[in-house]
Amino acid sequence: ETYFQSVPQAMDTLLLDGILADYAPLMHAIPAGHFIEWGLILFFILLASITIMYMLVGVLVEVVGVLAHAEKENITVSFIASSLRKKMQQQGHDQDSELSRTELQDILLDPEITEVLQSVQVDLVALMELVNIAYEDAEK
């Protein structure tokens, strides 16, 4: 009976004490009859709440996007590694032994491996240059 004396009083009670309970003391401190102040403060509270909600949604979307990108990259790396291992086994290379520069270049220039690398947009020319640089550094 105290909170629901009339329809406007019931709406006020449900809105402030039910939905916006944290802000109810502030809203109840506004004297009766000051509808403009009440409306402005309510508008500010709702606008701030919605803004924070959209910011949190944006953070969640960004996190999901970063995780999806990382997972896609992990899948791509696994696919390339398994393709290279399979090709090495087909050619009779021991996976535990070191590859010479020519063996690695032969594997990377194999048409099947070239197709796999191009499907994930690996720059083969740059990769071959990196192989040469790595072996030159190892020889020094």
Side-chain angles (χ1 to χ4, degrees):
E1 184 91 18
T2 305
Y3 298 110
F4 302 101
Q5 294 174 355
S6 65
V7 173
Q9 179 69 29
M11 291 171 52
D12 184 62
T13 300
L14 292 174
L15 177 67
L16 296 180
D17 295 327
I19 297 173
L20 302 172
D22 291 339
Y23 303 103
L26 172 68
M27 296 300 287
H28 288 307
I30 299 171
H34 291 90
F35 298 113
I36 294 175
E37 290 88 354
W38 188 89
L40 287 174
I41 292 175
L42 181 65
F43 175 74
F44 175 77
I45 290 169
L46 292 176
L47 183 66
S49 299
I50 291 171
T51 301
I52 290 172
M53 180 185 66
Y54 278 122
M55 287 172 52
L56 291 174
V57 167
V59 168
L60 286 174
V61 167
E62 184 66 24
V63 167
V64 168
V66 167
L67 289 176
H69 179 72
E71 188 65 27
K72 183 178 177 183
E73 190 172 312
N74 285 339
I75 290 170
T76 301
V77 168
S78 297
F79 174 67
I80 291 173
S82 67
S83 298
L84 287 172
R85 284 189 194 104
K86 186 169 80 173
K87 190 48 125 175
M88 286 175 60
Q89 286 177 346
Q90 287 176 354
Q91 292 182 355
H93 292 289
D94 183 17
Q95 291 182 9
D96 295 330
S97 65
E98 292 184 12
L99 288 173
S100 68
R101 179 189 299 190
T102 56
E103 289 173 332
L104 182 56
Q105 288 174 340
D106 289 344
I107 291 172
L108 292 176
L109 292 176
D110 183 89
E112 292 175 24
I113 298 298
T114 302
E115 184 179 328
V116 168
L117 293 174
Q118 286 177 341
S119 72
V120 293
Q121 298 158 352
V122 171
D123 185 3
L124 293 173
V125 175
L127 180 60
M128 295 307 283
E129 288 177 12
L130 288 174
V131 167
N132 289 332
I133 290 170
Y135 277 96
E136 285 174 6
D137 287 345
E139 292 171 357
K140 290 181 182 179

